[in-house]
Amino acid sequence: MKRLAQLFLVALVGAAFFSCGDPTIEIDDAYEPKIVVEAYVYPERPVEKIHITRNFPLNERLDLSTFIVDDATVLLDGAPLVFDAATQSYKDASGALAIDYDTEYTLEVTATIDGVELYDKATTRTPKAGFEVDQSDMGTVKYGDEIVYTYTPSDGTDFYAASVIADSASVETFIYDNNYFPTEEGDFDETGINRWVIQYVIDLNIDYTQPKISKEIEGTETWFYGPYTTVVYAGDDNMMKWLMTGKNVQQMDGNFLEPRMEYFETGDAIGVFGSAIADTIRFRIVP
């Protein structure tokens, strides 16, 4: 996913272009430094890629050298996490933290930003055990044919999401004669195809009392020939709130909304701390 600080800016600009209303945005000098959190924990997986960054005033040039906060104090249920320079994020270096199903976890972050010491915490409860996809390898699929995966839901979890990632995306593998926006080769370069590489599928309010749920990966999620990795998530309430509101910050009438982040307690942090069960599906699309 894009980092959260970028997401806020993209969401704001996108809303201004596509709204029906004509809102007035007033930006004053009351900048408040915030900790920006992008953190998820997964049962039976190591604690890693806990991203801690910061916000910036809108009327100043971004100093990307200070974007990543590498000297924060980050605790998960009281256990310290360490900064990993390779991933520019925090992790459990000892491997002693074991994330379990249907268990509550608390993330605490303390950081000094622009001379202000900030502290916040958030809590998540991992989903109950039970979620899994039926078929991890779906083989080869001809472009345009139906791609449907089936999963067993977790009791009490009615929010599911999937990231559909084209593993070998390039200008050579892009499906130019696609069924939606056919184009000509050479119309964009490697940078221009970035928006098509990762797509997302949301499955809301499913009946988790059913033994099996089926979901289609539609053509608007597959823009390249070649192999795909699809990670399917059974997500907690925090994950649902962030994914459903993080990008959608403007109503049709033009009024702006704030993403739902009430899981942070003090107001010193923005972003998301959530949990999910993850499973993986792979397939290959051919002409």
Side-chain angles (χ1 to χ4, degrees):
M1 291 186 178
K2 297 179 180 178
R3 299 283 74 81
L4 297 175
Q6 295 173 315
L7 193 152
F8 283 124
L9 181 59
V10 170
L12 186 64
V13 173
F17 277 105
F18 295 107
S19 67
C20 296
D22 184 21
T24 299
I25 304 176
E26 295 182 0
I27 301 176
D28 56 28
D29 295 328
Y31 160 69
E32 296 181 12
K34 299 283 186 182
I35 303 167
V36 181
V37 178
E38 183 184 12
Y40 292 96
V41 291
Y42 306 92
E44 299 186 12
R45 295 197 177 189
V47 176
E48 59 185 2
K49 297 182 180 179
I50 306 297
H51 294 277
I52 306 297
T53 56
R54 54 160 295 176
N55 67 340
F56 291 91
L58 287 176
N59 58 348
E60 291 185 10
R61 185 182 182 88
L62 295 182
D63 182 2
L64 295 181
S65 66
T66 63
F67 176 64
I68 296 169
V69 181
D70 59 5
D71 58 353
T73 298
V74 184
L75 305 175
L76 183 64
D77 273 12
L81 306 183
V82 300
F83 185 75
D84 178 18
T87 62
Q88 298 288 281
S89 62
Y90 290 79
K91 69 177 184 179
D92 169 30
S94 68
L97 282 172
I99 305 301
D100 202 356
Y101 299 95
D102 194 21
T103 303
E104 186 173 278
Y105 294 93
T106 298
L107 182 74
E108 298 178 83
V109 183
T110 303
T112 299
I113 298 175
D114 290 342
V116 180
E117 184 171 301
L118 305 173
Y119 166 82
D120 215 331
K121 67 177 182 177
T123 299
T124 182
R125 175 169 286 277
T126 55
K128 295 179 180 179
F131 167 74
E132 64 177 355
V133 297
D134 284 6
Q135 186 177 359
S136 59
D137 187 352
M138 301 182 69
T140 299
V141 181
K142 185 176 180 181
Y143 177 70
D145 286 355
E146 187 179 70
I147 305 174
V148 177
Y149 62 88
T150 302
Y151 61 89
T152 302
S154 290
D155 181 33
T157 299
D158 61 359
F159 174 75
Y160 296 80
S163 59
V164 184
I165 306 169
D167 295 330
S168 59
S170 69
V171 293
E172 288 79 21
T173 60
F174 186 81
I175 305 173
Y176 289 95
D177 58 342
N178 64 78
N179 297 330
Y180 305 92
F181 304 106
T183 184
E184 298 293 331
E185 291 190 39
D187 280 0
F188 45 66
D189 56 18
E190 293 288 353
T191 302
I193 67 171
N194 286 343
R195 61 172 295 198
W196 312 97
V197 174
I198 303 177
Q199 304 297 318
Y200 299 98
V201 178
I202 301 293
D203 209 1
L204 279 172
N205 300 319
I206 65 101
D207 183 359
Y208 56 79
T209 64
Q210 298 295 314
K212 300 289 181 181
I213 304 294
S214 294
K215 182 69 176 178
E216 181 178 4
I217 298 175
E218 299 181 355
T220 49
E221 277 97 45
T222 52
W223 297 95
F224 300 87
Y225 293 121
Y228 281 78
T229 299
T230 298
V231 182
V232 188
Y233 303 90
D236 77 325
D237 192 55
N238 295 358
M239 180 187 228
M240 179 191 70
K241 289 174 181 175
W242 176 249
L243 290 184
M244 297 303 297
T245 66
K247 289 185 178 181
N248 303 318
V249 296
Q250 190 178 30
Q251 293 176 308
M252 292 297 291
D253 61 4
N255 293 320
F256 286 99
L257 301 173
E258 182 179 358
R260 295 184 64 186
M261 298 178 288
E262 63 266 27
Y263 32 80
F264 289 110
E265 294 189 8
T266 73
D268 282 354
I270 55 178
V272 60
F273 173 54
S275 60
I277 306 171
D279 207 350
T280 302
I281 300 168
R282 289 182 171 84
F283 58 88
R284 176 181 292 271
I285 291 183
V286 297

